[in-house]
């Protein structure tokens, strides 16, 4: 694929007078308006804000037209966007700023007032640039966007000379299991992933991607930002995926056809959105956590479209594999298998190896999942040792336990970090968790199907090495009843949390990306149950 900023210029020129981006403020931007705004902002940032040697630039904006324009302008200026996780604490945010060597964070006063964060570098408010715009800036932006040949404009801006291995963005991992690491993604990484998604899903000019995932999330950055900006399709944005009613209104107003989400967010839409609002949806893809079939059933029954599961990792730019409904499959069918996360996309390969010896394992045998392709990150920012731990001979070590069936579908069965070694045996948290949740939703009606009520974590144990702990929402069923139910299923005794290993909480902690905050869950459990 051509580099993304050059591709953006071409696609905006083809959609000069056709709306390309929209957001919940009601604003719509045509391709010409998007390109004009990005070119003018690029000019202003280089003149008024950024030093010549300033490479990595912080961005603190929600999914919106403005957020897309800022990221586009930075790419056209050959700067590296670092979209910061505004759901994190000031302390975590400042660690990321320090690691990336960020001198400026671009944001707005409205955003900063709402977040109340303390930033340890210069915060630049984008609205302060309004008075800096000259007539020459406006004339240049309009003439370049609407009149200059695309190739000539790319050469003039220097984006035709972008090296495919030049960093495009740094995305910090969610820190769900530890301190955030800066994942350096290049133009090749993100561009190849955007192109693979287009080919896999046969994306059309009339497709509208519903952009609810934040740009600090790799799915949000690659698919809902560079999908519409770099391809011949449209995007619409709302600042919070949790704001179900506004998401529904936006989907209905723009005729959204594609929704990328997590099961957690889908449950919210199932309860609060109307069938009319989601009537135009053709594709719903869920990732980040296991997609329960009961949730798929309920969603399809209400909205007429069945969610499919995909799989990715920030280090893979992010999409690795995805199920494809027959109507979108390039081959006309056979690209969907429920219970799996789909087949690897074009140009991406996957294999399963023994977790200790790294020897390849045969079809349908569980082991450690490895991935390779042009989407695999350049590495962790300034952490060559950490990079070497997860990239072996060009293969990214995902940390997920999986099997690949005879047709090439990947089945995720667990995560290395979500296993406990108890009495010398590896016990899978997810398997125990699934059985507990099935039992807890019994008798609660269809709306509760697939609801996540309990999560399994672990604390150290002096006798057996580790002890399983169940952190759960309020429920009428007692720990004794749950323990009795698990015992009746015939699960190994080591897999069974004891009745005194349950902790009730008012809500399960989530990260801004919609994933469970496993690090905080473990901390909550340790405070109550870890040996003193």
């Amino acid at each position: 694929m051509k580099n993304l900023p050059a591709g953006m210029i071409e696609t905006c020129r083809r959609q000069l007078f056709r709306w390309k981006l929209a957001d919940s403020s009601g604003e719509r931007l045509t391709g010409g308006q998007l390109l004009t705004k990005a070119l003018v902002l690029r000019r202003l940032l280089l003149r008024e804000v950024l030093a010549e040697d300033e490479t990595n630039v912080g961005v603190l904006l929600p999914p919106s037209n403005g957020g897309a324009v800022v990221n586009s302008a930075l790419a056209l200026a050959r700067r590296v966007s670092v979209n910061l996780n505004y759901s994190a604490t000031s302390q975590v945010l400042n660690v990321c700023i320090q690691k990336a060597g960020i001198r400026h964070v671009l944001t707005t006063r409205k955003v900063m007032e709402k977040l109340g964060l303390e930033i340890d570098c210069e915060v630049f408010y984008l609205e302060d640039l309004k008075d800096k715009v000259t007539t020459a800036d406006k004339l240049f932006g309009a003439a370049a966007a609407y009149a200059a040949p695309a190739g000539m404009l790319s050469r003039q801006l220097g984006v035709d000379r972008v090296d495919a291995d030049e960093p495009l963005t740094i995305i910090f991992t969610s820190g769900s299991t530890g301190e955030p690491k800066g994942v350096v993604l290049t133009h090749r990484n993100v561009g190849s992933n955007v192109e693979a998604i287009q080919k896999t899903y046969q994306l059309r000019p009339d497709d509208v991607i519903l952009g609810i995932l934040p740009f600090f999330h790799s799915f949000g950055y690659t698919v809902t930002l560079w999908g519409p900006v770099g391809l011949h399709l449209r995007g619409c944005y709302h600042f919070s995926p949790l704001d179900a009613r506004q998401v529904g209104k936006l989907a209905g107003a723009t005729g959204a056809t594609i929704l990328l989400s997590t099961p957690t967010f889908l449950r919210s839409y199932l309860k609060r959105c109307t069938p009319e609002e989601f009537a135009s949806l053709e594709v719903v893809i869920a990732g980040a956590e296991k997609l329960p079939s009961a949730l798929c059933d309920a969603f399809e029954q209400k909205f007429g479209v069945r969610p499919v599961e995909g799989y990715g990792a920030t280090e893979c730019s992010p999409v690795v594999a995805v199920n494809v409904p027959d109507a979108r499959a390039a081959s006309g069918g056979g690209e969907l298998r429920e219970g799996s996360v789909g087949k690897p996309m074009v140009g991406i390969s996957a294999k399963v190896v023994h977790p200790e010896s790294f020897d390849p394992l045969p079809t349908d045998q569980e082991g450690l999942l490895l991935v390779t392709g042009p989407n695999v990150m350049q590495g962790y920012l300034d952490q060559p040792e950490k990079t070497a731990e997860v990239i072996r001979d060009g293969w990214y070590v995902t940390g997920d336990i999986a099997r690949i069936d005879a047709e090439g579908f990947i089945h995720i069965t667990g995560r290395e970090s979500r296993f406990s070694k108890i009495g010398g045996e590896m016990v899978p948290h997810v398997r125990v968790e699934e059985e507990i949740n099935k039992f807890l939703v019994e008798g609660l009606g269809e709306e509760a199907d697939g609801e996540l009520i309990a999560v399994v974590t672990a604390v150290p144990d002096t006798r057996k090495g580790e002890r399983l702990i169940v952190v759960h929402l309020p429920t009428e069923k007692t720990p004794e009843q749950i323990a009795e139910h698990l015992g009746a299923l015939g699960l190994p005794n080591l897999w069974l949390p004891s009745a005194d290993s349950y902790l009730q909480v008012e809500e399960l902690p989530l990260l801004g990306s919609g994933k469970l905050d496993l690090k905080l869950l473990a901390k909550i459990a340790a405070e109550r149950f870890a040996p003193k």
Side-chain angles (χ1 to χ4, degrees):
M1 182 179 188
K2 285 187 178 180
N3 66 65
L4 288 165
M8 173 199 172
I9 292 171
E10 287 189 13
T11 186
C12 285
R13 291 303 301 275
R14 290 192 186 184
Q15 295 174 290
L16 275 178
F17 304 106
R18 185 171 175 265
W19 81 264
K20 190 161 184 60
L21 299 183
D23 63 22
S24 49
S25 73
E27 180 190 50
R28 292 195 180 196
L29 298 179
T30 65
Q33 290 169 328
L34 168 60
L35 185 53
T36 300
K37 284 178 176 288
L39 289 170
V40 171
L41 180 57
R42 170 193 178 276
R43 189 173 165 112
L44 290 167
L45 289 174
L46 294 178
R47 187 176 74 219
E48 306 286 345
V49 186
L50 305 177
E52 283 188 26
D53 64 344
E54 191 170 351
T55 304
N56 301 337
V57 184
V59 181
L60 201 60
L61 293 169
S64 59
N65 290 350
V69 169
V70 170
N71 277 276
S72 300
L74 290 171
L76 291 171
R78 294 182 67 173
R79 297 304 202 268
V80 179
S81 296
V82 187
N83 287 274
L84 297 166
N85 183 349
Y86 42 78
S87 68
T89 63
S90 296
Q91 182 182 5
V92 170
L93 218 61
N94 287 320
V95 167
C96 298
I97 287 169
Q98 183 181 14
K99 284 186 175 185
I102 291 170
R103 291 185 235 169
H104 287 95
V105 169
L106 307 179
T107 186
T108 66
R109 285 185 174 81
K110 184 177 180 181
V111 168
M112 285 301 289
E113 286 168 7
K114 184 172 184 180
L115 297 176
L117 295 167
E118 295 180 9
I119 305 296
D120 289 347
C121 73
E122 188 172 344
V123 175
F124 188 86
Y125 298 111
L126 291 160
E127 55 264 45
D128 291 347
L129 288 174
K130 287 181 181 178
D131 295 335
K132 307 284 187 181
V133 181
T134 65
T135 302
D137 293 328
K138 294 176 182 176
L139 289 174
F140 165 77
Y146 287 88
M152 187 182 83
L153 181 56
S154 290
R155 288 191 297 275
Q156 184 181 356
L157 300 177
V159 296
D160 64 319
R161 299 186 295 277
V162 169
D163 188 299
D165 293 322
E166 197 173 297
L168 173 68
T169 188
I170 298 168
I171 293 181
F172 281 90
T173 58
S174 59
S176 61
T177 56
E179 187 177 282
K181 296 183 288 290
V183 177
V184 181
L185 300 179
T186 65
H187 285 263
R188 186 195 311 278
N189 295 152
V190 178
S192 67
N193 213 235
V194 170
E195 186 175 40
I197 292 162
Q198 181 185 31
K199 290 178 179 177
T200 301
Y201 264 87
Q202 305 293 294
L203 297 177
R204 311 183 303 255
D206 63 335
D207 272 324
V208 179
I209 292 181
L210 191 55
I212 56 166
L213 298 177
F215 296 157
F216 63 72
H217 187 286
S218 53
F219 262 104
Y221 183 82
T222 294
V223 185
T224 64
L225 172 60
W226 281 108
V229 169
L231 299 174
H232 300 301
L233 53 122
R234 297 164 164 175
C236 57
Y237 302 110
H238 183 64
F239 60 84
S240 172
L242 296 169
D243 193 357
R245 289 191 170 86
Q246 288 302 318
V247 170
K249 286 180 183 178
L250 181 64
T254 58
T257 58
I258 299 171
L259 168 62
L260 300 172
S261 182
T262 67
T264 297
F265 299 149
L266 290 184
R267 291 184 187 101
S268 177
Y269 306 151
L270 184 61
K271 292 176 182 176
R272 295 176 178 86
C273 297
T274 68
E276 293 75 24
E277 288 169 336
F278 280 175
S280 57
L281 282 183
E282 297 178 21
V283 176
V284 177
I285 307 170
E289 56 188 91
K290 185 69 177 172
L291 178 63
S293 58
L295 176 59
C296 295
D297 293 341
F299 200 92
E300 183 180 28
Q301 184 176 358
K302 182 169 183 177
F303 299 115
V305 56
R306 189 170 185 83
V308 299
E309 192 167 357
Y311 170 77
T314 303
E315 291 87 346
C316 294
S317 303
V319 189
V320 170
V322 67
N323 280 289
V324 186
D326 289 349
R328 289 283 176 143
S331 59
E335 303 299 312
L336 171 62
R337 176 159 297 172
E338 288 205 5
S340 80
V341 294
K343 295 179 180 179
M345 293 200 302
V346 178
I348 299 171
S349 300
K351 66 179 179 181
V352 171
V353 300
H354 189 279
E356 294 171 0
S357 69
F358 275 72
D359 292 332
L361 295 175
T363 298
D364 263 331
Q365 189 164 329
E366 284 188 12
L368 189 58
L369 179 67
L370 273 59
V371 174
T372 193
N375 59 316
V376 173
M377 67 171 179
Q378 189 177 79
Y380 293 125
L381 181 66
D382 297 329
Q383 291 185 291
E385 300 87 1
K386 291 281 187 186
T387 302
E389 287 175 11
V390 298
I391 297 184
R392 297 184 174 219
D393 299 321
W395 290 83
Y396 171 64
V397 182
T398 66
D400 287 313
I401 305 299
R403 63 181 178 84
I404 300 176
D405 66 26
E407 284 73 44
F409 288 94
I410 301 172
H411 301 255
I412 305 294
T413 56
R415 183 161 180 83
E416 273 192 313
S417 62
R418 297 213 66 200
F419 279 74
S420 286
K421 200 158 193 177
I422 301 176
E425 184 178 326
M426 294 302 287
V427 178
H429 294 185
V430 174
R431 177 81 172 83
V432 178
E433 196 173 279
E434 286 176 349
E435 293 300 342
I436 292 173
N437 279 291
K438 282 181 193 174
F439 179 60
L440 293 181
V441 300
E442 281 180 7
L444 296 181
E446 288 183 5
E447 216 173 64
D449 284 348
E451 193 83 47
L452 190 66
I453 299 176
V455 180
V456 174
T457 185
V459 297
D461 183 82
T462 52
R463 197 163 54 90
K464 293 186 177 180
E466 286 187 274
R467 172 187 177 188
L468 294 185
I469 301 297
V470 182
V471 181
H472 64 91
L473 298 175
T475 173
E476 292 182 1
K477 290 170 180 168
T478 66
E480 289 76 17
Q481 289 174 318
I482 301 170
E484 184 181 344
H485 171 77
L486 291 176
L489 293 175
L491 296 176
N493 285 334
L494 287 175
W495 291 27
L496 307 181
S498 58
D500 61 351
S501 298
Y502 287 73
L503 175 61
Q504 181 173 306
V505 294
E506 290 307 308
E507 58 182 10
L508 298 173
L510 298 178
L511 296 162
S513 59
K515 292 181 182 179
L516 282 167
D517 191 336
L518 299 176
K519 184 179 176 184
L520 184 53
L521 273 164
K523 182 181 177 184
I524 291 169
E527 287 173 352
R528 172 73 180 273
F529 294 103
K532 305 302 180 189

